[in-house]
Amino acid sequence: AEHKTYDQVIPYTDRLNYVSSIMNNVGFAKAVEAAIGIEITERCQFIRVIVSELMRIVDHLVSIAANLVDIGALTNFWYLYNKREALYDILDRLTGARLTNSFTRIGGLSRDLYPGFEEDVLKLLKEFEDAVADVMKLIARNKIFLKRTQGVGIISAEDAISYGFTGPCLRASGVPYDLRQIHPYYGYENFDFEIPVGECGDTYDRIFVRFEEIHQSIKIVRQALKKLPS
């Protein structure tokens, strides 16, 4: 990256976590913009919020689905994983790529939303909710799932902070820390959403914090689409 322009670095940020690549695009672009004093338009801010929250949902779907497979629940994997593919169809239309999207630019985005984007996303959000509900029916009271997650891998709040945990793993250990509320940006302070927090810091909490964050991200995306500036 030392030998590239700022915009040329963006494809590298995709590879930091290709399951939610646009979030890495946004993080890097936002840092560069802050360093050189660029303020992006309000529409760009809203679009970055929308695609970032969609990426958060997909990342959680993949994390939960893969974990459930390892616990021994394959059916749940397909309920969640197939919806990930549906979002990739939308991202493909929006960015020209499925996984490594390289969507941001320093000072903005590579392109605006395509006609029909809002309708596609709203339809998919309902499908996300249905998929999560289907999985809940299979695991919420499943004795095998509960025995393999509750009380397993407990990490205290103190240890989570000491180890440098962030995101849902930190919140699952009972630490209510989320940058979107602690240091709000892109208008997050104007969105109505909650920060899910675990009680025990075990595998069960880490899974269910992600489930609840999916619902909160869906709320944010719906609000952002309603408020999206022209």
Side-chain angles (χ1 to χ4, degrees):
E2 292 178 358
H3 305 285
K4 304 290 183 184
T5 67
Y6 288 136
D7 266 334
Q8 288 173 328
V9 176
I10 288 169
Y12 297 141
T13 67
D14 285 329
R15 276 83 179 164
L16 293 172
N17 178 7
Y18 61 81
V19 183
S20 52
S21 57
I22 294 178
M23 293 188 84
N24 296 293
N25 292 173
V26 169
F28 173 74
K30 189 176 186 305
V32 173
E33 289 155 1
I36 62 180
I38 291 178
E39 190 166 330
I40 64 173
T41 67
E42 193 177 16
R43 181 172 175 84
C44 275
Q45 291 182 27
F46 271 78
I47 294 174
R48 285 188 183 184
V49 167
I50 291 166
V51 293
S52 292
E53 292 302 328
L54 290 173
M55 290 274 85
R56 190 189 309 276
I57 293 169
V58 163
D59 203 313
H60 287 352
L61 289 177
V62 172
S63 297
I64 295 168
N67 202 349
L68 291 177
V69 168
D70 291 339
I71 290 170
L74 179 61
T75 305
N76 303 279
F77 177 83
W78 298 118
Y79 280 136
L80 300 178
Y81 222 66
N82 286 343
K83 296 311 168 190
R84 162 186 181 255
E85 283 300 310
L87 176 59
Y88 284 166
D89 288 340
I90 293 175
L91 294 177
D92 204 354
R93 287 191 66 186
L94 177 63
T95 70
R98 292 180 74 78
L99 271 175
T100 48
N101 309 101
S102 300
F103 185 50
T104 63
R105 295 293 182 270
I106 307 304
L109 300 162
S110 62
R111 58 178 62 84
D112 200 356
L113 303 178
Y114 64 80
F117 174 84
E118 181 177 348
E119 292 78 7
D120 288 348
V121 169
L122 288 174
K123 178 176 179 292
L124 183 61
L125 294 179
K126 180 65 171 69
E127 293 177 8
F128 282 152
E129 290 173 327
D130 291 342
V132 169
D134 286 337
V135 171
M136 283 296 177
K137 291 175 187 175
L138 292 170
I139 68 169
R141 297 165 63 186
N142 184 295
K143 290 183 179 179
I144 297 174
F145 169 78
L146 297 177
K147 289 182 81 170
R148 292 181 178 179
T149 57
Q150 290 182 333
V152 175
I154 296 175
I155 299 173
S156 68
E158 293 76 16
D159 283 344
I161 293 170
S162 174
Y163 297 156
F165 275 29
T166 61
C169 288
L170 177 63
R171 294 187 282 274
S173 290
V175 183
Y177 189 86
D178 190 313
L179 286 174
R180 295 170 297 174
Q181 286 196 350
I182 303 294
H183 301 290
Y185 56 95
Y186 294 167
Y188 269 110
E189 65 273 19
N190 300 318
F191 293 115
D192 174 28
F193 69 102
E194 298 173 6
I195 305 300
V197 178
E199 296 179 354
C200 302
D202 56 7
T203 299
Y204 181 90
D205 280 354
R206 286 187 286 276
I207 290 175
F208 273 84
V209 161
R210 285 178 168 85
F211 269 128
E212 186 53 38
E213 285 194 6
I214 289 172
H215 288 300
Q216 298 303 320
S217 289
I218 289 172
K219 282 177 62 176
I220 292 170
V221 172
R222 284 183 173 139
Q223 292 171 67
L225 286 171
K226 277 187 179 180
K227 300 176 182 178
L228 181 65
S230 61

